[in-house]
Amino acid sequence: MTTSAGQPSLSGRASYGRTISGRIIAAAVSALVVAVTAYVATILAFFVAGGAVATNFGQLNSFFIWSAVFTFLFVGLLAMTGSLGRWYGAVATGIIAGALASLVGSSLSVVATGTPFGGAVASFAVGTLVGPNLIFVAAVVVATVTAGRAVWFAFAKRTAPVGGRRVLLVRPPADTLSDGELTHLERTPVDLDLANAQWNAYVTAFADNGWQIEELPLANDLSDSVFIEDDVVLFGGTAVLASPGAESRRGEIESVERAVRSLRLKVARIELPGTLDGGDVLKVGKTVYVGRGGRTNAEGIRQLRGIVAPLGYAVVGVPVTMALHLKSSVTALPDGTVIGFPAIVDEPALFDRFLAVPEIGGLGVVALSHDTVLMAASAPQSAALIADLGYRVITVDISEFEKLEGCITCLSVRVR
């Protein structure tokens, strides 16, 4: 069976995370931990500074309790957007939530004594931000970045789909997409609006199948940055940062490193003079086929072998002379069968199980699950062949990326 993904707007990408109920639970528990931690830390700080006088507890409690309550509310609301997923988002959340909670809480603590709300109360509340509430805001920031994030990630694992978390790393097409590198194709005009619509449909296909979308910032100075697969290769909990063969793409690595570190993956890297593009790496079980071609050199393969051998992977070098990357000529089905268009595969016999597909665009397959794959709409005969093997096939149009030697695997990195 073959279905097609639509092209809705991704203006609500924040909703593509864990389930709504799971996100609410994670946000609420994280916010509660932050509020309680900040409240206790602030009370203890002032109690000790005040000479540990027991009567001070009542005054401190009445002043900070409302700030703690509103910290819970504001941190929870901001956490719902996924802000705790990255450290800088957590810092911003702590500052915003702590400051707003202090203003509201201080105002309420004064109003509770019978003073009517007005300019004097508002001025007092603002003044506390450089006084006692400065300590509280600092406590909120520290608690958010540490305990809040830890709880968020703990619940993210609990609410992830069956089989563990499924996170998709993507980056939107640069406005300069049409200036991307070309090796084997003649340059043809790229419709940027259509490319964006196709990218939206591609991402939506994953979101609709239970993947949490992590979108990296737009990088207009890096024309090929949408092809994020080339920047990093994952081996379980280890992310191997690539060393792009094209010098113009080396600026992509920094932001990708921040993204994988935010997901708490261990990081290794390929260093120059070694070069390695992620599109040259095909994992089939514990066997890692690495294409030796124009973008990946022997030193890059040697370094990768040294990194992944202790993790239990065996690296097999594969010559690539008729395509940009190895995965421009072959990919693998979830059962481990390698598929490809024979005319652009140098050595099909190197693969344990090889299945020829009838179209050059049909060699690209991305596993959405154990029984569902994503394929390019440009290869309907190949999609029918894979469907006949018992897989559910979803097709998306990626014609604008194919003009730049991109394929269905190039546009994402899957974290599982």
Side-chain angles (χ1 to χ4, degrees), residues 17 22 24 39 59 84 90 96 136 142 154 164 178-179 200 230 241 271 273 278 309 314 356 364 393 398 403:
I24 291 172
Y39 170 77
Q59 294 177 328
L84 301 187
I96 294 169
F136 182 78
V142 173
S178 60
D179 297 328
N200 284 350
D230 292 325
L241 297 172
E271 303 280 2
V393 178
I398 57 167
K403 293 176 181 178

Side-chain angles (χ1 to χ4, degrees), residues 290-315:
V290 185
R292 170 64 177 94
R295 298 290 178 87
T296 296
N297 64 18
E299 174 61 17
I301 297 175
R302 185 195 67 77
Q303 290 184 32
L304 182 67
R305 182 176 285 116
I307 293 169
V308 303
L311 303 177
Y313 294 89
V315 171

Side-chain angles (χ1 to χ4, degrees), residues 65-132:
I65 188 63
W66 283 112
S67 296
V69 170
F70 280 96
T71 294
F72 168 74
L73 175 63
F74 292 137
V75 171
L77 290 174
L78 291 170
M80 281 291 294
T81 69
S83 64
L84 301 187
R86 296 180 173 88
W87 70 266
Y88 50 85
V91 170
T93 295
I95 293 172
I96 294 169
L100 290 177
S102 294
L103 289 172
V104 177
S106 296
S107 298
L108 285 178
S109 67
V110 175
V111 171
T113 65
T115 303
F117 182 78
V121 173
S123 296
F124 168 78
V126 172
T128 64
L129 290 177
V130 292

